[in-house]
């Protein structure tokens, strides 16, 4: 949700900033803009639409050389995605430029105050208010002005600003929204995440809550909003710029789908000893804390929520602890029952999802322990949690979650088994067996990817479908939800996932001639009763004219007579089936969106990291 770049160094600022924006564009693509401090003043270019529009503008109206600048790629909140609402925003003197991610909740009263003072406001944004406030208090020190203004702001914000009168400095501030510093040689960077500067440095500093940072060519200074000296956590990024390139694929999403075997393997790496016992070093919860847990609550959004639903099956099965799973945006508003014995697991690829962040803050306020499952080092959710289990999916650039989702499922299994290990609810040899089954998953996912070609033909045949239903049982139900979400967000089709057993309680009325229905068939060996029931469900919908697309394990012949299209997946234990059954659905959504001529990596209205509530 909005990508921000700041640069001070010796290179051409416009080049560095635009390159950073290209890598951050997945965060929002409603408009883009840059401001560069030149010898005389600020040079600003901004344009509605994708970054390509800004690049075209820059080609027509180049910015003369400057080595200090800021940039922004927008996901619109206040005001439509027009040129005038594009960032950076300027104060009345045109000497301050500000970019912003988040929502300033008291902006209406601040705006009224400025109007009373006769300040002309030229955009609909909350951001412009900050530019004018900075202009009013600026007294030769931009960092100081930023601290004063931040103390007046409410809500969530990352702000980055430059002032023509202080041409060697870029100043940033953050509350509830992300901002990371990149440390270079004779140059320094600010970014919404490390991809903003990964082409230049892998050495980063994670800023804390309510901090202001000032970067110069030769130094970085961090303070609190009150001006007290502060520090951030330094870390090395464990991937390089090539990991965030398309690498020969047409879309990031397809590349990321094909990276899944490695992502799963990397997430397992180094966590299992020779005896098959788990070691989750980042857990930071003592064995005593873990034995103390009497309930688990999982909070997450979107695909991560679906991973959370799978967590319920795994954790309850292996630990016999009761597990609740809740969409993070609903969690804190219902006054959930939380105690010190409650373990709250927050799942988030980005580690910045505001709904999830607010949910964990609420949980910690109630005394519960929070364990984050997260993909992005240096992000807010792990920092504010008691423990973290990182997924090692590497950078996920496409807005649709694929490899992050699969690694989240792996991580929830690791956590479930670890809890079982410490609490003694499973014998060591049982845990070793399950861990070895997890270790077989990368090869199984590879096998799915080798046989996924028919999904492309299937996708092309579904271009005119008005709606698609997805049915599953047990862990196949979250897979059905995930398949439907992928289709909604990428192919803009009405798609719904249902537990197959619910069909007769209403959704079956939707079935009409030719309606595609994707059915995820549970493994026969796991719970034969579940398998047989879903085979009956397939027959019921087929009898009513549905076009059945059946995902079943490779040795399951019982479904063949009822499948218009049969998609085979390798035989794996029931609880692990989502790790193979989801993959064809990802390919289906990606190919269908492409066949319909939509932007696969940047679907309309969406942003990868949702940093507003
Ligand atoms: O970064 P997070 O995992 O917290 O993001 C949660 C959701 O916004 C995310 O999974 C979203 O639903 C994806 N676009 C789904 O493909």
């Amino acid at each position: 949700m909005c990508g921000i770049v700041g640069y001070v160094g010796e290179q051409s600022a416009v080049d560095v900033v635009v390159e950073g924006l290209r890598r951050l564009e997945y965060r929002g693509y409603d408009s883009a803009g840059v401001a560069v401090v030149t010898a005389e003043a600020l040079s600003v270019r901004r344009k509605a639409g994708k970054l390509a529009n800004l690049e075209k503008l820059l080609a027509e109206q180049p910015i003369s050389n400057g080595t200090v600048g800021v940039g922004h790629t927008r996901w619109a909140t206040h005001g439509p995605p027009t040129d005038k609402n594009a960032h950076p925003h300027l104060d009345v003197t045109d000497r301050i430029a500000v970019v912003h991610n988040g929502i300033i909740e008291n902006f209406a009263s601040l705006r009224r105050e400025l109007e009373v003072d006769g300040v002309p406001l030229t955009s609909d944004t909350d951001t412009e208010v900050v530019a004018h406030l900075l202009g009013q208090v600026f007294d030769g020190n931009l960092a100081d002005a930023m601290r004063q203004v931040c103390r007046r702001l409410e809500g969530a914000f990352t702000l980055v600003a430059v002032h023509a009168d202080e041409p060697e400095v870029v100043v940033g501030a953050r509350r509830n929204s992300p901002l990371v510093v990149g440390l270079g040689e004779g140059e320094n960077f600010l970014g919404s995440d490390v991809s903003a500067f990964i082409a230049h440095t892998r050495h980063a500093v994670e800023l804390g809550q309510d901090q202001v940072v000032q970067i110069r060519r030769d130094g970085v200074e961090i303070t609190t909003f009150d001006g007290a000296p502060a520090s951030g956590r330094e870390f090395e990024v464990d991937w390089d710029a090539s990991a965030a390139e398309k690498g020969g694929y047409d879309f990031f999403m397809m590349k990321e789908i094909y990276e899944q075997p490695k992502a799963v393997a990397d997430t397992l790496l180094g966590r299992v000893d020779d005896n098959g016992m788990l070691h989750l070093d980042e857990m930071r919860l003592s064995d005593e804390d873990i034995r103390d847990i009497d309930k688990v609550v999982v909070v997450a959004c979107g695909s991560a929520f679906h991973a959370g639903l799978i967590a319920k099956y795994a954790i309850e099965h292996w630990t016999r602890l009761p597990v609740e799973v809740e969409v993070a945006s609903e969690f804190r508003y219902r006054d959930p029952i939380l105690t010190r014995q409650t373990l709250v697991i927050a799942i988030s690829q980005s580690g910045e999802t505001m709904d999830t962040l607010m949910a964990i803050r609420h949980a910690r306020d109630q005394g519960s322990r929070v364990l984050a499952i997260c993909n992005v080092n240096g992000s807010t959710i792990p920092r504010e949690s008691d423990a973290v289990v990182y997924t090692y999916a590497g950078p996920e650039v496409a807005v649709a979650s694929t490899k992050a989702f699969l690694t989240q499922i792996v991580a929830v299994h690791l956590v479930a088994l670890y809890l079982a290990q410490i609490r003694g609810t499973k014998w060591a040899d049982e845990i070793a067996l399950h861990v070895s089954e997890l270790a077989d998953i990368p090869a199984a996912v590879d096998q799915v990817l080798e046989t996924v070609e028919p999904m492309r033909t299937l996708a092309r045949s579904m271009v005119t479908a008005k709606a698609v239903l997805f049915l599953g049982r047990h862990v196949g139900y979250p897979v059905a939800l995930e398949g439907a979400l992928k289709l909604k967000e990428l192919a803009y089709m009405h798609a719904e996932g249902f537990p197959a057993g619910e069909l007769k309680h209403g959704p079956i009325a939707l079935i009409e001639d030719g309606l595609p229905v994707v059915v995820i068939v549970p493994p026969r060996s796991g719970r034969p009763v579940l398998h047989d029931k879903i085979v009956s469900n397939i027959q019921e919908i087929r009898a009513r004219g549905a076009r059945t697309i059946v995902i079943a394990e490779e040795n399951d012949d019982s479904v063949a007579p009822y499948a218009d299209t049969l998609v085979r997946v390798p035989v794996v234990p029931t609880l692990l089936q989502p790790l193979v059954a989801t993959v064809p659905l990802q390919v289906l959504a990606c190919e269908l969106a492409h066949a319909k001529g939509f932007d696969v990596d940047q679907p309309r209205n969406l942003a990868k990291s949702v940093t507003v509530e």
Side-chain angles (χ1 to χ4, degrees):
M1 207 131 284
C2 297
I4 288 180
V5 189
Y7 175 71
V8 47
E10 289 167 2
Q11 305 186 57
S12 155
V14 70
D15 292 347
V16 173
V17 167
V18 169
E19 192 214 0
L21 292 181
R22 201 170 299 126
R23 293 180 193 281
L24 289 181
E25 201 182 7
Y26 67 86
R27 300 180 70 92
Y29 27 84
D30 287 334
S31 66
V34 290
V36 171
V37 186
T38 59
E40 309 77 37
L42 296 180
S43 285
V44 179
R45 303 285 183 275
R46 39 191 208 167
K47 197 72 193 156
K50 294 199 172 177
L51 183 63
N53 295 357
L54 174 69
E55 289 178 293
K56 191 161 166 271
L57 179 68
L58 284 164
E60 290 158 8
Q61 301 169 24
I63 290 183
S64 57
N65 269 345
T67 59
V68 175
V70 296
H72 188 265
T73 174
R74 178 171 188 240
W75 187 85
T77 58
H78 291 59
T82 55
D83 286 355
K84 79 165 184 178
N85 289 329
H87 301 211
H89 288 281
L90 306 176
D91 75 325
V92 279
T93 66
D94 284 350
R95 296 187 71 74
I96 296 178
V98 181
V99 293
H100 166 219
N101 170 29
I103 292 180
I104 292 161
E105 285 167 3
N106 58 336
F107 105 99
S109 63
L110 295 169
R111 190 181 168 101
R112 269 195 302 280
E113 196 182 294
L114 290 165
E115 281 164 349
V116 169
D117 289 350
V119 175
L121 290 139
T122 57
S123 77
D124 311 312
T125 66
D126 47 348
T127 311
E128 189 190 353
V129 165
V130 177
H132 294 302
L133 291 175
L134 283 172
Q136 287 182 337
V137 299
F138 180 76
D139 191 15
N141 184 325
L142 185 58
D144 214 28
M146 184 66 91
R147 283 186 280 269
Q148 289 183 56
V149 171
C150 285
R151 292 199 291 266
R152 300 198 58 201
L153 303 180
E154 290 165 17
F157 50 87
T158 300
L159 296 161
V160 172
V162 284
H163 197 307
D165 292 357
E166 240 191 324
E168 300 290 310
V169 165
V170 178
V171 171
R174 73 165 292 263
R175 167 181 287 165
N176 295 335
S177 282
L179 184 63
V180 195
V181 184
L183 303 174
E185 292 287 327
E187 58 183 358
N188 288 304
F189 307 80
L190 296 176
S192 297
D193 63 52
V194 296
S195 25
F197 47 74
I198 192 69
H200 306 277
T201 180
R202 290 161 69 172
H203 195 179
V205 178
E206 172 192 330
L207 284 189
Q209 176 76 333
D210 284 5
Q211 290 186 345
V212 168
V213 60
Q214 171 176 277
I215 60 168
R216 296 173 176 273
R217 211 170 272 189
D218 56 358
V220 172
E221 195 183 310
I222 303 172
T223 68
T224 64
F225 283 179
D226 292 325
S231 60
R233 182 182 71 90
E234 286 193 32
F235 65 100
E236 287 297 318
V237 184
D238 56 10
W239 49 272
D240 62 21
S242 65
E245 307 285 350
K246 281 191 194 150
Y249 287 87
D250 290 339
F251 323 111
F252 276 109
M253 182 180 178
M254 197 49 87
K255 176 190 175 227
E256 289 160 6
I257 287 172
Y258 275 86
E259 284 174 341
Q260 293 182 113
K262 180 172 185 314
V264 168
D266 286 351
T267 300
L268 292 169
L269 200 69
R271 287 173 159 164
V272 188
D273 70 16
D274 292 344
N275 302 319
M277 297 302 281
L278 284 165
H279 299 273
L280 299 181
D281 293 340
E282 327 91 309
M283 253 302 207
R284 299 197 306 256
L285 292 177
S286 68
D287 289 3
E288 202 187 332
D289 287 341
I290 289 174
R291 286 193 203 98
D292 225 23
I293 298 166
D294 65 7
K295 179 173 85 167
V296 176
V297 178
V298 185
V299 289
C301 303
S303 294
F305 169 70
H306 300 155
L309 292 173
I310 293 165
K312 177 176 171 71
Y313 291 91
I315 297 172
E316 288 188 344
H317 175 74
W318 282 319
T319 69
R320 307 312 296 155
L321 279 166
V323 181
E324 296 168 13
V325 190
E326 187 146 3
V327 166
S329 54
E330 289 294 320
F331 179 67
R332 68 184 170 130
Y333 298 106
R334 71 168 171 89
D335 195 13
I337 299 163
L338 298 164
T339 68
R340 197 170 157 70
Q341 278 73 45
T342 311
L343 175 68
V344 173
I345 301 180
I347 308 177
S348 174
Q349 185 284 133
S350 61
E352 300 294 349
T353 299
M354 185 58 71
D355 293 314
T356 311
L357 178 60
M358 290 303 165
I360 67 165
R361 283 192 184 157
H362 180 78
R364 294 192 84 202
D365 286 348
Q366 309 297 307
S368 300
R369 322 286 166 87
V370 173
L371 163 68
I373 292 177
C374 184
N375 194 45
V376 178
N377 196 340
S379 60
T380 308
I381 289 171
R383 189 180 53 248
E384 296 201 13
S385 298
D386 299 291
V388 55
V389 171
Y390 281 108
T391 53
Y392 289 94
E396 192 179 65
V397 178
V399 163
S401 181
T402 53
K403 59 177 180 170
F405 176 66
L406 247 59
T407 56
Q408 285 163 354
I409 299 172
V410 171
V412 300
H413 281 287
L414 290 176
V415 169
L417 289 169
Y418 187 74
L419 296 180
Q421 182 177 295
I422 304 297
R423 293 168 65 90
T425 49
K426 288 284 166 194
W427 299 108
D429 56 343
E430 289 175 286
I431 290 170
L433 173 67
H434 293 312
V435 167
S436 76
E437 288 167 344
L438 272 172
D440 291 339
I441 292 297
V445 176
D446 249 333
Q447 190 185 326
V448 178
L449 290 170
E450 278 163 20
T451 54
V452 90
E453 194 55 35
M455 296 311 286
R456 301 179 204 271
T457 322
L458 175 66
R460 284 193 289 274
S461 77
M462 287 170 67
V463 165
T464 54
K466 298 251 173 328
V468 183
L469 300 187
F470 292 76
L471 303 179
R473 279 178 181 262
H474 195 259
V475 287
Y477 167 47
V479 175
L481 293 176
E482 178 64 7
L485 177 62
K486 285 286 154 293
L487 219 52
K488 279 184 247 201
E489 69 179 327
L490 296 172
Y492 314 152
M493 291 169 80
H494 179 236
E496 294 295 334
F498 296 106
E502 270 294 289
L503 204 63
K504 291 196 273 291
H505 301 282
I508 201 163
L510 294 168
I511 308 282
E512 55 186 22
D513 231 18
L515 180 87
V517 182
V518 180
V519 188
I520 299 102
V521 180
R524 243 194 319 199
S525 53
R527 294 261 189 92
V529 63
L530 279 180
H531 171 274
D532 296 351
K533 292 220 181 301
I534 214 162
V535 175
S536 303
N537 297 143
I538 300 172
Q539 294 175 64
E540 288 155 12
I541 55 171
R542 203 151 185 268
R544 287 162 177 82
R547 175 182 171 193
T548 54
I549 300 154
V550 177
I551 300 184
E553 59 184 1
E554 56 197 359
N555 62 3
D556 185 353
D557 297 328
S558 65
V559 288
Y562 318 113
D564 293 311
T565 303
L566 186 52
V567 181
R568 293 299 194 181
V569 290
V571 178
V572 297
T574 303
L575 280 171
L576 301 185
Q577 200 200 27
L579 290 161
V580 289
T582 307
V583 179
L585 305 184
Q586 297 168 340
V587 176
L588 177 69
C590 182
E591 292 294 340
L592 198 39
H594 179 52
K596 292 179 101 176
F598 299 144
D599 188 331
V600 170
D601 288 332
Q602 296 178 345
R604 71 181 179 206
N605 302 337
L606 289 170
K608 177 112 190 119
S609 172
V610 184
T611 54
V612 293
E613 267 192 282

